């Protein structure tokens, strides 16, 4: 009787092992890596300045982008082929998972190679280094001489307003935190090569008294001090004692070519 009992237990164990193997091949083998599920994955599109968002859940995909080249709006459900590392969506498009790291996801969506990160800062830094060949920190250190070379004080600012001739003044302060504030250093460098009358004013040093003094010489100057310490650089172009143009430096992602135009 004992042998029969042992035989029964062995049969049960063998059956459970077989069921586990079948379950693995039917469900586990093609299951997607849990590390990438239910997370926000970001890709910075340096051509537009917007972030793309990818969310992979157990049974559906969400993809938000301003890139008209990739439209996954009708792609909701999917099947995953682990052998090919391929997410086959119900809309007929595919997402290939090429490499999974602790904070990044290398993919190919349709025909486009994209690297996603689990935070937006890492995504921008990655794209910036790929585009410029150096990190954002190194780029700023390399270009900081531009503001040191062209910096003026309130006295010089007032003098420029009174003088005849051309001058372009870039205002940046501690509120200037956008990517445009970093790219503006390269823009200013290119401006200075073409014309020496390019100046930088630290907006933290600007006060209402100085603005009032400026308005005595240029009546249409903006008196709102916060306009000169914005999240993007503020530019005033003065010619013969008049403001001929004023705008904020805003690039399309890393593309600032429209701001390199000759205004002299």
């Amino acid at each position: 009787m004992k042998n029969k009992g042992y035989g029964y237990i062995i049969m049960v164990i063998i059956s459970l092992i077989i069921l586990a193997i079948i379950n693995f091949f039917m469900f586990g083998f093609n299951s997607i890596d849990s590390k990438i599920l239910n997370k926000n994955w970001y890709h910075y599109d340096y051509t537009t300045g917007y972030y793309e968002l990818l969310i992979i859940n157990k049974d559906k995909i969400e993809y938000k982008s301003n890139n008209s080249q990739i439209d996954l709006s009708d792609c909701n459900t999917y099947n995953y082929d682990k052998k090919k590392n391929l997410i086959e969506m119900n809309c007929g498009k595919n997402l290939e998972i090429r490499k999974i790291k602790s904070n990044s996801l290398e993919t190919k969506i349709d025909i486009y190679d994209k690297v996603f990160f689990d935070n937006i800062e890492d995504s921008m830094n990655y794209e910036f280094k790929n585009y410029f060949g150096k990190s954002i920190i190194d780029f700023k250190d390399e270009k900081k001489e531009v503001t040191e070379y062209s910096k003026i004080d309130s006295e010089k600012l007032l003098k420029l307003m009174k003088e005849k001739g051309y001058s372009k003044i870039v205002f940046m302060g501690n509120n200037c935190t956008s990517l445009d504030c970093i790219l503006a250093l390269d823009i200013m460098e290119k401006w200075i090569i073409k014309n020496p009358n390019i100046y930088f004013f630290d907006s933290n040093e600007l006060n209402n008294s100085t603005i009032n003094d400026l308005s005595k010489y240029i009546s249409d100057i903006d008196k709102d001090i916060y306009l000169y310490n914005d999240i993007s650089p503020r530019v005033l172009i003065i010619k013969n004692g008049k403001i001929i143009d004023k705008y904020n430096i805003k690039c399309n992602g890393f593309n600032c070519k429209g701001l390199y135009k000759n205004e002299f």
Side-chain angles (χ1 to χ4, degrees):
M1 293 292 291
K2 288 183 178 180
N3 290 337
K4 287 184 179 180
Y6 290 137
Y8 176 76
I9 292 171
I10 291 170
M11 288 296 294
V12 170
I13 292 172
I14 292 172
S15 297
L16 290 173
I17 292 172
I18 292 171
L19 286 173
I21 293 171
I22 292 171
N23 182 69
F24 172 78
F25 279 98
M26 288 184 66
F27 302 103
F29 183 76
N30 271 349
S31 62
I32 200 164
D33 194 320
S34 60
K35 293 196 294 291
I36 71 174
L37 293 176
N38 307 314
K39 295 176 69 174
N40 288 349
W41 294 101
Y42 301 96
H43 170 77
Y44 180 75
D45 186 343
Y46 67 83
T47 64
T48 65
Y50 293 101
Y51 285 93
E52 299 173 11
L53 173 65
L54 174 67
I55 304 173
I56 304 173
N57 294 318
K58 189 175 181 180
D59 53 3
K60 67 177 183 178
I61 283 182
E62 294 180 52
Y63 180 73
K64 298 177 182 179
S65 170
N66 288 307
N67 188 341
S68 59
Q69 295 175 314
I70 302 176
D71 183 9
L72 303 184
S73 57
D74 296 326
C75 306
N76 299 314
T77 61
Y78 68 87
N79 292 315
Y80 179 61
D81 187 330
K82 189 170 185 178
K83 187 176 181 180
K84 297 180 181 178
N85 289 326
L86 197 65
I87 292 176
E88 300 171 329
M89 291 170 273
N90 65 316
C91 59
K93 296 181 180 179
N94 297 326
L95 189 159
E96 181 185 351
I97 299 175
R98 292 182 164 175
K99 188 177 291 186
I100 301 172
K101 295 183 180 179
S102 59
N103 70 328
S104 66
L105 188 63
E106 295 183 21
T107 70
K108 183 177 183 179
I109 302 179
D110 208 4
I111 61 172
Y112 301 97
D113 296 326
K114 293 181 180 290
V115 180
F116 290 85
F117 289 82
D118 59 8
N119 67 83
I120 58 177
E121 291 83 7
D122 284 349
S123 179
M124 178 181 285
N125 286 330
Y126 175 84
E127 298 298 331
F128 193 96
K129 190 169 185 178
N130 272 359
Y131 189 89
F132 291 101
K134 61 194 70 177
S135 68
I136 291 177
I137 294 174
D138 291 341
F139 185 90
K140 288 174 67 176
D141 286 342
E142 183 181 285
K143 302 289 183 180
K144 67 181 180 181
E145 292 182 359
V146 173
T147 53
E148 294 172 356
Y149 169 80
S150 58
K151 186 176 180 180
I152 59 173
D153 56 17
S154 297
E155 184 179 350
K156 176 64 175 179
L157 181 62
L158 287 169
K159 187 177 180 181
L160 290 173
M161 296 295 177
K162 291 186 285 183
E163 289 180 348
K164 290 191 175 182
Y166 174 97
S167 59
K168 183 185 289 187
I169 307 158
V170 181
F171 295 82
M172 286 191 284
N174 56 1
N175 289 333
C176 200
T177 55
S178 69
L179 177 66
D180 297 315
C181 306
I182 299 168
L183 298 177
L185 301 175
D186 184 57
I187 294 170
M188 289 178 64
E189 185 177 60
K190 289 178 170 58
W191 283 347
I192 290 171
I193 291 172
K194 295 178 181 179
N195 191 300
N197 299 322
I198 309 297
Y199 305 96
F200 163 71
F201 189 90
D202 186 346
S203 304
N204 300 314
E205 300 175 4
L206 190 64
N207 53 49
N208 289 319
S209 176
T210 301
I211 289 290
N212 289 331
D213 289 339
L214 293 173
S215 66
K216 295 175 184 178
Y217 303 100
I218 300 181
S219 58
D220 61 340
I221 193 167
D222 294 311
K223 294 184 179 180
D224 186 351
I225 195 170
Y226 296 104
L227 289 174
Y228 304 93
N229 196 358
D230 204 349
I231 62 170
S232 56
R234 182 71 170 172
V235 178
L236 288 186
I237 301 177
I238 312 296
K239 191 172 183 178
N240 297 327
K242 294 181 180 180
I243 297 176
I244 61 171
D245 201 2
K246 52 186 175 181
Y247 56 87
N248 281 39
I249 291 178
K250 292 184 178 180
C251 302
N252 293 322
F254 298 157
N255 182 5
C256 307
K257 290 181 180 179
L259 293 161
Y260 297 148
K261 61 184 180 180
N262 191 340
E263 298 159 328
F264 314 129

